[in-house]
């Protein structure tokens, strides 16, 4: 049986750190850049050493792209061997007006490039008509 001691360090550390998970900060991340090029949205992700057919999955979830990657890389020489492995993911917010049927992905030289066409956005505000019921007789 183990016990957890709460640390409240006064003015320098006034927070309760016991429920804070450090794992997200230690997990590998996917380095991404995204930009608009006219009516084309471009996402570029650094993914060296992965097999995109087996190790990469791209999913549109609502207004985001979800990028799931499994890294299975090893390096060996005469003296030692080294493994780099793990799975990680990243959510990338899509701009308004992305046309789903135009989303495409291409992998070359360790860079995954996802492109999509951005069109005019549908208005999100509209007036709702009110139906007035006939007055009740008295």
């Amino acid at each position: 049986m183990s016990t957890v001691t709460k640390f409240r360090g006064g003015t320098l550390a006034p927070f309760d750190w016991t429920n804070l998970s450090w794992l997200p900060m230690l997990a590998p991340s996917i380095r991404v850049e995204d930009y608009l090029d006219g009516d084309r949205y471009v996402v570029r992700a650094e993914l060296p050493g992965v097999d995109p057919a087996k190790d990469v999955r791209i999913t549109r979830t609502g207004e985001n792209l979800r990028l799931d990657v499994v890294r299975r890389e090893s390096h060996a020489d005469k003296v030692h061997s080294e493994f780099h492995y793990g799975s990680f993911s990243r959510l990338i917010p899509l701009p308004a007006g992305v046309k789903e049927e135009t989303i495409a992905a291409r992998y070359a030289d360790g860079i995954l490039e996802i492109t999509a066409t951005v069109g005019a956005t549908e208005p999100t505000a509209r007036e709702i008509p009110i139906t007035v019921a006939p007055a009740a007789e008295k």
Side-chain angles (χ1 to χ4, degrees):
M1 183 165 96
S2 64
T3 59
V4 175
T5 305
K6 289 188 177 187
F7 174 70
R8 295 182 195 270
T11 58
L12 294 178
F15 305 108
D16 179 1
W17 298 92
T18 56
N19 294 323
L20 180 63
S21 171
W22 291 96
L23 293 178
M25 294 188 314
L26 299 176
S29 64
I30 303 170
R31 293 178 6 158
V32 170
E33 68 177 2
D34 65 330
Y35 56 90
L36 278 173
D37 183 15
D39 68 344
R40 196 175 91 139
Y41 177 62
V42 179
V43 176
R44 292 172 36 92
E46 287 185 344
L47 298 174
V50 299
D51 180 351
K54 291 189 233 174
D55 301 334
V56 179
R57 184 170 163 232
I58 305 166
T59 311
R60 179 174 182 172
T61 57
E63 297 304 315
N64 296 301
L65 282 179
R66 181 180 172 95
L67 186 56
D68 294 300
V69 179
V70 176
R71 185 177 305 273
R72 300 178 186 118
E73 181 181 354
S74 65
H75 170 74
D77 59 29
K78 293 181 182 181
V79 180
H80 72 284
S81 65
E82 189 172 327
F83 294 98
H84 304 279
Y85 57 90
S87 61
F88 42 101
S89 64
R90 175 122 185 217
L91 278 179
I92 302 159
L94 292 170
V98 166
K99 297 180 181 178
E100 181 161 358
E101 66 276 3
T102 66
I103 298 174
R106 180 177 173 269
Y107 183 86
D109 300 324
I111 303 292
L112 176 67
E113 184 174 274
I114 305 166
T115 59
T117 302
V118 178
T121 59
E122 295 292 319
T124 56
R126 70 177 180 93
E127 188 173 336
I128 308 297
I130 301 170
T131 303
V132 180
E137 293 184 25
K138 291 187 180 184

